[in-house]
CSV table of all heavy atoms in Angstrom, one decimal:
chain,number,residue,atom,x,y,z
V,237,LEU,N,-35.0,34.4,140.4
V,237,LEU,CA,-36.1,35.2,140.4
V,237,LEU,C,-37.4,34.4,140.8
V,237,LEU,O,-38.3,35.0,141.4
V,237,LEU,CB,-36.4,35.7,138.9
V,237,LEU,CG,-35.4,36.8,138.3
V,237,LEU,CD1,-35.5,37.1,136.9
V,237,LEU,CD2,-35.5,38.1,139.2
V,238,GLY,N,-37.5,33.2,140.4
V,238,GLY,CA,-38.6,32.3,140.8
V,238,GLY,C,-38.7,32.2,142.3
V,238,GLY,O,-39.8,32.4,143.0
V,239,LEU,N,-37.6,32.0,143.0
V,239,LEU,CA,-37.5,31.8,144.5
V,239,LEU,C,-37.9,33.2,145.2
V,239,LEU,O,-38.6,33.2,146.1
V,239,LEU,CB,-36.2,31.4,145.0
V,239,LEU,CG,-36.1,31.0,146.4
V,239,LEU,CD1,-37.1,29.9,146.7
V,239,LEU,CD2,-34.8,30.4,146.8
V,240,LEU,N,-37.4,34.2,144.6
V,240,LEU,CA,-37.8,35.6,145.1
V,240,LEU,C,-39.2,35.9,145.0
V,240,LEU,O,-39.9,36.5,145.9
V,240,LEU,CB,-36.9,36.7,144.4
V,240,LEU,CG,-35.5,36.8,144.8
V,240,LEU,CD1,-34.7,37.7,143.9
V,240,LEU,CD2,-35.4,37.4,146.3
V,241,ALA,N,-39.8,35.5,143.9
V,241,ALA,CA,-41.3,35.7,143.7
V,241,ALA,C,-42.0,34.9,144.6
V,241,ALA,O,-43.1,35.3,145.2
V,241,ALA,CB,-41.7,35.4,142.2
V,242,TRP,N,-41.6,33.7,144.8
V,242,TRP,CA,-42.4,32.8,145.8
V,242,TRP,C,-42.2,33.3,147.3
V,242,TRP,O,-43.3,33.4,148.1
V,242,TRP,CB,-41.7,31.4,145.8
V,242,TRP,CG,-42.2,30.5,146.9
V,242,TRP,CD1,-43.4,29.8,146.9
V,242,TRP,CD2,-41.7,30.3,148.2
V,242,TRP,NE1,-43.5,29.1,148.0
V,242,TRP,CE2,-42.4,29.4,148.8
V,242,TRP,CE3,-40.5,30.7,148.7
V,242,TRP,CZ2,-42.2,28.8,150.1
V,242,TRP,CZ3,-40.2,30.2,150.0
V,242,TRP,CH2,-41.1,29.3,150.6
V,243,ALA,N,-41.1,33.7,147.6
V,243,ALA,CA,-40.9,34.5,149.0
V,243,ALA,C,-41.8,35.5,149.2
V,243,ALA,O,-42.3,35.8,150.2
V,243,ALA,CB,-39.4,34.8,149.2
V,244,GLN,N,-42.0,36.4,148.2
V,244,GLN,CA,-42.8,37.6,148.3
V,244,GLN,C,-44.3,37.3,148.4
V,244,GLN,O,-45.0,37.9,149.1
V,244,GLN,CB,-42.5,38.7,147.2
V,244,GLN,CG,-41.0,39.2,147.3
V,244,GLN,CD,-40.8,40.1,146.1
V,244,GLN,OE1,-41.0,41.4,146.2
V,244,GLN,NE2,-40.2,39.6,145.1
V,245,ARG,N,-44.5,36.3,147.7
V,245,ARG,CA,-46.1,35.8,147.6
V,245,ARG,C,-46.3,35.2,149.0
V,245,ARG,O,-47.4,35.5,149.6
V,245,ARG,CB,-46.3,34.8,146.5
V,245,ARG,CG,-47.7,34.3,146.6
V,245,ARG,CD,-47.9,33.3,145.3
V,245,ARG,NE,-49.4,32.8,145.4
V,245,ARG,CZ,-50.3,33.5,145.0
V,245,ARG,NH1,-50.3,34.7,144.4
V,245,ARG,NH2,-51.7,33.0,145.0
V,246,ARG,N,-45.4,34.5,149.6
V,246,ARG,CA,-45.5,33.9,150.8
V,246,ARG,C,-45.7,35.0,151.9
V,246,ARG,O,-46.6,34.9,152.9
V,246,ARG,CB,-44.3,32.9,151.2
V,246,ARG,CG,-44.4,32.2,152.5
V,246,ARG,CD,-43.2,31.4,152.7
V,246,ARG,NE,-43.3,30.6,153.9
V,246,ARG,CZ,-43.0,31.1,155.1
V,246,ARG,NH1,-42.7,32.2,155.3
V,246,ARG,NH2,-43.2,30.3,156.2
V,247,ASN,N,-44.8,36.0,151.8
V,247,ASN,CA,-44.9,37.1,152.7
V,247,ASN,C,-46.2,37.8,152.7
V,247,ASN,O,-46.8,38.2,153.7
V,247,ASN,CB,-43.8,38.0,152.5
V,247,ASN,CG,-43.8,39.2,153.4
V,247,ASN,OD1,-43.6,39.1,154.6
V,247,ASN,ND2,-44.0,40.5,152.8
V,248,TYR,N,-46.8,38.0,151.5
V,248,TYR,CA,-48.1,38.6,151.2
V,248,TYR,C,-49.2,37.9,151.9
V,248,TYR,O,-50.0,38.3,152.5
V,248,TYR,CB,-48.3,38.9,149.8
V,248,TYR,CG,-49.7,39.4,149.5
V,248,TYR,CD1,-50.1,40.7,149.8
V,248,TYR,CD2,-50.6,38.4,148.8
V,248,TYR,CE1,-51.4,41.0,149.5
V,248,TYR,CE2,-51.9,38.9,148.7
V,248,TYR,CZ,-52.2,40.2,148.9
V,248,TYR,OH,-53.6,40.5,148.6
V,249,GLU,N,-49.1,36.5,151.6
V,249,GLU,CA,-50.2,35.6,152.2
V,249,GLU,C,-50.2,35.6,153.7
V,249,GLU,O,-51.3,35.5,154.3
V,249,GLU,CB,-50.1,34.3,151.7
V,249,GLU,CG,-50.3,34.1,150.1
V,249,GLU,CD,-50.0,32.8,149.6
V,249,GLU,OE1,-49.4,31.9,150.3
V,249,GLU,OE2,-50.5,32.6,148.4
V,250,ARG,N,-49.1,35.8,154.3
V,250,ARG,CA,-49.1,35.8,155.8
V,250,ARG,C,-49.2,37.1,156.5
V,250,ARG,O,-49.5,37.2,157.7
V,250,ARG,CB,-47.8,35.1,156.3
V,250,ARG,CG,-47.9,33.6,156.2
V,250,ARG,CD,-46.4,32.9,156.2
V,250,ARG,NE,-46.4,31.6,156.2
V,250,ARG,CZ,-46.8,30.7,155.2
V,250,ARG,NH1,-47.1,31.4,153.9
V,250,ARG,NH2,-46.8,29.5,155.3
V,251,THR,N,-49.0,38.2,155.9
V,251,THR,CA,-49.1,39.6,156.5
V,251,THR,C,-49.9,40.5,155.7
V,251,THR,O,-50.2,41.5,156.2
V,251,THR,CB,-47.5,40.1,156.4
V,251,THR,OG1,-47.2,40.3,155.1
V,251,THR,CG2,-46.5,39.2,157.1
V,252,ASN,N,-50.5,40.1,154.6
V,252,ASN,CA,-51.2,41.1,153.8
V,252,ASN,C,-50.5,42.3,153.3
V,252,ASN,O,-51.2,43.3,153.0
V,252,ASN,CB,-52.6,41.4,154.5
V,252,ASN,CG,-53.6,40.2,154.5
V,252,ASN,OD1,-53.6,39.4,153.5
V,252,ASN,ND2,-54.2,40.0,155.5
V,253,ARG,N,-49.2,42.3,153.4
V,253,ARG,CA,-48.4,43.4,152.9
V,253,ARG,C,-48.0,43.2,151.6
V,253,ARG,O,-47.3,42.2,151.3
V,253,ARG,CB,-47.2,43.6,153.9
V,253,ARG,CG,-47.6,44.1,155.3
V,253,ARG,CD,-46.4,43.9,156.2
V,253,ARG,NE,-46.8,44.3,157.5
V,253,ARG,CZ,-46.0,44.1,158.6
V,253,ARG,NH1,-44.9,43.8,158.5
V,253,ARG,NH2,-46.5,44.7,159.7
V,254,VAL,N,-48.2,44.1,150.6
V,254,VAL,CA,-48.0,43.8,149.2
V,254,VAL,C,-46.4,43.8,149.0
V,254,VAL,O,-46.0,43.0,148.2
V,254,VAL,CB,-48.7,45.0,148.4
V,254,VAL,CG1,-48.3,44.7,146.9
V,254,VAL,CG2,-50.1,44.9,148.6
V,255,PHE,N,-45.8,44.7,149.5
V,255,PHE,CA,-44.3,44.9,149.3
V,255,PHE,C,-43.5,44.7,150.5
V,255,PHE,O,-43.8,45.2,151.6
V,255,PHE,CB,-44.1,46.3,148.6
V,255,PHE,CG,-44.6,46.7,147.4
V,255,PHE,CD1,-45.6,47.6,147.2
V,255,PHE,CD2,-44.4,45.9,146.2
V,255,PHE,CE1,-46.3,47.9,146.1
V,255,PHE,CE2,-45.0,46.1,145.0
V,255,PHE,CZ,-46.0,47.0,145.0
V,256,ASN,N,-42.3,44.0,150.2
V,256,ASN,CA,-41.3,43.9,151.2
V,256,ASN,C,-40.0,44.6,150.5
V,256,ASN,O,-39.6,44.1,149.5
V,256,ASN,CB,-41.0,42.5,151.5
V,256,ASN,CG,-39.8,42.4,152.5
V,256,ASN,OD1,-38.6,42.6,152.2
V,256,ASN,ND2,-40.0,41.9,153.7
V,257,HIS,N,-39.6,45.8,151.0
V,257,HIS,CA,-38.7,46.6,150.3
V,257,HIS,C,-37.4,45.7,150.0
V,257,HIS,O,-36.8,46.0,149.1
V,257,HIS,CB,-38.4,47.9,151.1
V,257,HIS,CG,-39.6,48.8,151.1
V,257,HIS,ND1,-39.7,49.8,152.0
V,257,HIS,CD2,-40.7,48.8,150.5
V,257,HIS,CE1,-40.7,50.4,151.9
V,257,HIS,NE2,-41.4,49.8,150.9
V,258,GLY,N,-36.9,45.1,151.0
V,258,GLY,CA,-35.7,44.4,150.8
V,258,GLY,C,-35.8,43.3,149.7
V,258,GLY,O,-34.9,43.2,148.8
V,259,LEU,N,-36.9,42.4,149.7
V,259,LEU,CA,-37.1,41.5,148.7
V,259,LEU,C,-37.3,42.1,147.4
V,259,LEU,O,-36.8,41.4,146.4
V,259,LEU,CB,-38.2,40.5,149.1
V,259,LEU,CG,-38.0,39.7,150.3
V,259,LEU,CD1,-39.3,38.8,150.6
V,259,LEU,CD2,-36.7,38.8,150.2
V,260,LEU,N,-38.0,43.2,147.3
V,260,LEU,CA,-38.3,43.9,146.1
V,260,LEU,C,-36.9,44.4,145.5
V,260,LEU,O,-36.7,44.3,144.2
V,260,LEU,CB,-39.2,45.1,146.3
V,260,LEU,CG,-39.8,45.8,145.1
V,260,LEU,CD1,-40.6,44.8,144.3
V,260,LEU,CD2,-40.6,47.0,145.4
V,261,ALA,N,-36.0,44.8,146.4
V,261,ALA,CA,-34.7,45.4,145.8
V,261,ALA,C,-34.0,44.2,145.4
V,261,ALA,O,-33.3,44.3,144.3
V,261,ALA,CB,-33.9,46.1,147.0
V,262,ALA,N,-34.0,43.0,145.9
V,262,ALA,CA,-33.2,41.9,145.5
V,262,ALA,C,-33.8,41.4,144.2
V,262,ALA,O,-33.1,41.0,143.3
V,262,ALA,CB,-33.3,40.7,146.5
V,263,THR,N,-35.2,41.5,144.0
V,263,THR,CA,-35.8,41.0,142.7
V,263,THR,C,-35.4,42.0,141.7
V,263,THR,O,-35.0,41.6,140.5
V,263,THR,CB,-37.3,41.0,142.8
V,263,THR,OG1,-37.6,40.2,144.0
V,263,THR,CG2,-37.9,40.6,141.7
V,264,ALA,N,-35.4,43.4,141.9
V,264,ALA,CA,-35.0,44.3,140.9
V,264,ALA,C,-33.5,44.2,140.5
V,264,ALA,O,-33.2,44.1,139.2
V,264,ALA,CB,-35.1,45.7,141.4
V,265,ALA,N,-32.7,43.8,141.4
V,265,ALA,CA,-31.2,43.7,141.1
V,265,ALA,C,-31.0,42.5,140.2
V,265,ALA,O,-30.3,42.5,139.1
V,265,ALA,CB,-30.3,43.6,142.3
V,266,SER,N,-31.6,41.4,140.6
V,266,SER,CA,-31.6,40.0,139.9
V,266,SER,C,-32.1,40.3,138.3
V,266,SER,O,-31.6,39.7,137.4
V,266,SER,CB,-32.1,38.9,140.6
V,266,SER,OG,-31.7,38.7,141.9
V,267,THR,N,-33.2,41.0,138.3
V,267,THR,CA,-33.9,41.2,136.9
V,267,THR,C,-32.9,42.0,136.2
V,267,THR,O,-32.9,41.7,134.9
V,267,THR,CB,-35.2,41.9,137.2
V,267,THR,OG1,-36.1,41.2,138.0
V,267,THR,CG2,-35.9,42.2,135.9
V,268,VAL,N,-32.3,43.0,136.6
V,268,VAL,CA,-31.4,43.8,135.9
V,268,VAL,C,-30.2,42.9,135.3
V,268,VAL,O,-29.8,42.9,134.1
V,268,VAL,CB,-30.8,45.0,136.7
V,268,VAL,CG1,-29.6,45.7,135.9
V,268,VAL,CG2,-31.9,45.9,137.1
V,269,VAL,N,-29.7,42.0,136.2
V,269,VAL,CA,-28.7,41.2,135.7
V,269,VAL,C,-29.1,40.2,134.7
V,269,VAL,O,-28.4,39.9,133.6
V,269,VAL,CB,-28.1,40.4,136.9
V,269,VAL,CG1,-27.0,39.4,136.5
V,269,VAL,CG2,-27.4,41.3,138.0
V,270,VAL,N,-30.2,39.6,134.9
V,270,VAL,CA,-30.7,38.8,133.8
V,270,VAL,C,-31.0,39.4,132.4
V,270,VAL,O,-30.6,38.9,131.4
V,270,VAL,CB,-32.1,38.0,134.4
V,270,VAL,CG1,-32.8,37.2,133.2
V,270,VAL,CG2,-31.8,37.1,135.4
V,271,LEU,N,-31.7,40.6,132.5
V,271,LEU,CA,-31.8,41.4,131.2
V,271,LEU,C,-30.6,41.8,130.6
V,271,LEU,O,-30.3,41.6,129.4
V,271,LEU,CB,-32.7,42.5,131.6
V,271,LEU,CG,-34.2,42.1,131.9
V,271,LEU,CD1,-35.0,43.5,132.2
V,271,LEU,CD2,-34.9,41.4,130.8
V,272,TRP,N,-29.6,42.2,131.3
V,272,TRP,CA,-28.2,42.7,131.0
V,272,TRP,C,-27.6,41.5,130.4
V,272,TRP,O,-26.9,41.6,129.2
V,272,TRP,CB,-27.5,43.3,132.0
V,272,TRP,CG,-26.3,44.0,131.7
V,272,TRP,CD1,-25.8,44.0,130.4
V,272,TRP,CD2,-25.3,44.6,132.6
V,272,TRP,NE1,-24.5,44.9,130.5
V,272,TRP,CE2,-24.4,45.2,131.8
V,272,TRP,CE3,-25.2,44.8,134.0
V,272,TRP,CZ2,-23.2,46.0,132.3
V,272,TRP,CZ3,-24.3,45.5,134.5
V,272,TRP,CH2,-23.3,46.1,133.5
V,273,LEU,N,-27.6,40.4,131.0
V,273,LEU,CA,-27.0,39.2,130.4
V,273,LEU,C,-27.5,38.8,129.1
V,273,LEU,O,-26.9,38.4,128.1
V,273,LEU,CB,-27.1,38.0,131.4
V,273,LEU,CG,-26.6,36.7,130.9
V,273,LEU,CD1,-25.1,36.8,130.7
V,273,LEU,CD2,-26.7,35.6,132.0
V,274,ALA,N,-29.0,38.7,129.0
V,274,ALA,CA,-29.6,38.3,127.9
V,274,ALA,C,-29.3,39.2,126.7
V,274,ALA,O,-29.0,38.7,125.5
V,274,ALA,CB,-31.0,38.0,128.1
V,275,VAL,N,-29.5,40.4,126.9
V,275,VAL,CA,-29.5,41.5,125.9
V,275,VAL,C,-27.9,41.7,125.5
V,275,VAL,O,-27.7,41.7,124.2
V,275,VAL,CB,-30.0,42.9,126.3
V,275,VAL,CG1,-29.7,44.0,125.2
V,275,VAL,CG2,-31.6,42.7,126.6
V,276,GLY,N,-27.1,41.8,126.4
V,276,GLY,CA,-25.7,41.9,126.1
V,276,GLY,C,-25.1,40.7,125.2
V,276,GLY,O,-24.4,40.9,124.2
V,277,HIS,N,-25.5,39.5,125.7
V,277,HIS,CA,-24.9,38.4,124.9
V,277,HIS,C,-25.6,38.2,123.5
V,277,HIS,O,-25.0,37.9,122.6
V,277,HIS,CB,-25.2,37.1,125.7
V,277,HIS,CG,-24.4,35.9,125.1
V,277,HIS,ND1,-23.0,35.7,125.3
V,277,HIS,CD2,-24.8,35.0,124.2
V,277,HIS,CE1,-22.7,34.7,124.6
V,277,HIS,NE2,-23.8,34.1,124.0
V,278,THR,N,-26.8,38.6,123.4
V,278,THR,CA,-27.7,38.6,122.2
V,278,THR,C,-26.9,39.6,121.2
V,278,THR,O,-26.6,39.3,120.0
V,278,THR,CB,-29.1,39.0,122.3
V,278,THR,OG1,-29.7,38.1,123.2
V,278,THR,CG2,-29.8,38.9,121.0
Side-chain angles (χ1 to χ4, degrees):
L237 288 175
L239 187 58
L240 284 166
W242 172 83
Q244 291 176 87
R245 180 175 178 81
R246 182 181 184 279
N247 180 64
Y248 170 73
E249 290 175 346
R250 283 166 172 73
T251 65
N252 287 326
R253 294 171 182 169
V254 178
F255 297 116
N256 179 293
H257 293 165
L259 294 179
L260 191 62
T263 302
S266 299
T267 301
V268 170
V269 176
V270 170
L271 292 177
W272 191 357
L273 174 63
V275 174
H277 190 78
T278 299

